């Protein structure tokens, strides 16, 4: 078959269709398409056309500062710790002597008792540590919570340290006066004062743990305050028990002992707590 044969095919060999002028045939042949979901596209366009976030941003919340977490307070606690390390040669013997003085009521000193100036320096450091820890714990107990003002938080904590130190000095002077007036002899009065300084010093050593707990874990402040209160109450009860052993001479002496409890143990503590609370609330 040559190329010219394509032009000489009979007409009945080619299938013919009549011309359809309407669009029905085209619509039936068309493929139906599902409508597109343009919501995602519109959201992308909206985000892309929105102004950058740094032009408006969000209102920042004030930085919450815990009073005990101030750098000055941490520096004071660290300084006391370093000072105790520098007095380490006397620290162990001083702690041993304090443990003995906590309960002992011997009339004479032992030849091996440490009465060196090193022990007095350690006793002073322990008193300062007790005042510092007591101030932090007292503020944590009386403050309404965290404060956004760093200067006010520091001032309040330092005030509480001053209150704790003043209460320590008041107790020391009061016990010296009562011991001089009512103790059977001078040695018993000295033993009573030694029991006070020993109880407070050892309590200060233990109180450093809940104090650091409040500083570094403010969320555990409630548990740390309960532990600190238990330590302080135990130290006070041991000291009161030693005073009872020294001053008890019979049933009539119980009247004086009850007066002592009310005058030097209960009323001053209530007054100190009230004064501390007024100082905190006034700031």
């Amino acid at each position: 078959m040559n190329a010219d044969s394509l032009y000489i095919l009979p007409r009945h060999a080619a299938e013919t269709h009549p011309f359809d002028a309407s669009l029905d045939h085209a619509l039936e042949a068309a493929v139906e398409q599902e409508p597109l979901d343009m919501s995602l596209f519109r959201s992308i366009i909206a985000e892309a056309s929105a102004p950058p976030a740094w032009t408006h941003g969000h209102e920042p919340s004030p930085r919450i500062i815990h009073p005990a977490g101030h750098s000055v307070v941490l520096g004071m606690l660290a300084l006391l710790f370093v000072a105790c390390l520098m007095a380490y040669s006397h620290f162990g013997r001083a702690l041993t002597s304090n443990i003995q003085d906590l309960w002992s009521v011997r009339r004479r000193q032992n030849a091996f008792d440490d009465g060196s100036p090193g022990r007095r320096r350690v006793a002073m450091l322990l008193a300062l540590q007790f005042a510092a820890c007591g101030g932090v714990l007292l503020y944590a107990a009386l403050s309404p919570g965290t404060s956004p003002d760093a200067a006010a938080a520091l001032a309040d904590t330092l005030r509480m340290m001053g209150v704790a130190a003043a209460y320590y000095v008041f107790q020391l002077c009061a016990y010296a006066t009562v011991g001089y007036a009512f103790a059977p002899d001078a040695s018993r009065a000295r033993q009573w004062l030694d029991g006070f300084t020993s109880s407070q010093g050892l309590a200060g050593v233990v109180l450093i743990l809940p104090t650091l707990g409040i500083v570094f874990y403010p969320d555990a402040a409630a548990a740390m305050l309960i532990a600190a209160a238990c330590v302080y109450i135990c130290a006070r009860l041991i000291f009161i028990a030693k005073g009872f052993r020294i001053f008890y001479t019979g049933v009539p002496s119980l009247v004086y002992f009850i007066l002592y409890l009310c005058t030097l143990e209960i009323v001053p503590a209530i007054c100190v707590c009230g004064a501390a609370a007024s100082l905190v609330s006034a700031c």
Side-chain angles (χ1 to χ4, degrees):
M1 181 182 295
N2 52 21
D4 296 335
S5 63
L6 296 175
Y7 298 99
I8 61 176
L9 289 174
R11 290 182 177 273
H12 61 81
E15 184 178 357
T16 61
H17 296 280
F19 178 74
D20 189 1
S22 67
L23 298 178
D24 296 338
H25 179 71
L27 293 176
E28 291 176 358
V31 179
E32 295 184 0
Q33 297 181 355
E34 296 182 359
L36 295 176
D37 186 6
M38 303 296 291
S39 60
L40 180 60
F41 178 75
R42 292 191 185 95
S43 64
I44 294 174
I45 295 299
E47 291 180 0
S49 60
W54 56 266
T55 59
H56 53 87
H58 299 281
E59 184 69 21
S61 59
R63 180 171 176 260
I64 301 300
I65 300 174
H66 194 273
H70 199 280
S71 58
V72 175
V73 177
L74 293 175
M76 294 178 63
L77 296 176
L79 183 62
L80 289 173
F81 182 74
V82 171
C84 291
L85 288 180
M86 294 178 65
Y88 182 76
S89 58
H90 304 282
F91 203 78
R93 287 179 295 176
L95 286 181
T96 303
S97 300
N98 285 337
I99 294 174
Q100 294 175 354
D101 293 337
L102 193 63
W103 188 251
S104 177
V105 290
R106 291 177 303 178
R107 292 182 176 274
R108 296 181 181 179
Q109 282 189 332
N110 196 314
F112 298 99
D113 289 342
D114 186 14
S116 62
R119 181 188 174 185
R120 290 192 289 271
R121 287 195 297 269
V122 172
M124 179 64 68
L125 289 174
L126 293 178
L128 292 176
Q129 181 174 298
F130 175 82
C133 295
V136 173
L137 294 169
L138 191 61
Y139 187 89
L142 297 177
S143 63
T146 56
S147 172
D149 192 351
L154 175 62
D156 292 341
T157 306
L158 294 179
R159 287 190 186 95
M160 295 303 101
M161 290 182 181
V163 169
Y167 184 48
Y168 183 94
V169 174
F170 165 77
Q171 286 180 312
L172 190 63
C173 296
Y175 295 145
T177 303
V178 172
Y180 176 79
F182 296 98
D185 50 46
S187 63
R188 293 303 181 101
R190 177 186 54 78
Q191 289 174 358
W192 198 36
L193 284 180
D194 290 342
F196 170 72
T197 56
S198 299
S199 63
Q200 302 300 94
L202 294 175
V205 172
V206 182
L207 287 178
I208 191 65
L209 297 177
T211 301
L212 293 178
I214 289 177
V215 169
F216 294 105
Y217 300 99
D219 294 337
M224 296 296 104
L225 288 174
I226 292 174
C230 293
V231 171
Y232 183 75
I233 291 173
C234 289
R236 301 304 300 170
L237 291 178
I238 293 174
F239 170 69
I240 292 172
K242 182 176 181 178
F244 184 81
R245 295 176 63 193
I246 291 175
F247 290 100
Y248 179 74
T249 57
V251 176
S253 62
L254 289 177
V255 178
Y256 296 103
F257 193 78
I258 293 173
L259 291 176
Y260 145 73
L261 290 178
C262 296
T263 305
L264 294 183
E265 298 296 339
I266 299 176
V267 175
I270 296 175
C271 293
V272 167
C273 291
S278 64
L279 287 175
V280 171
S281 61
C283 299

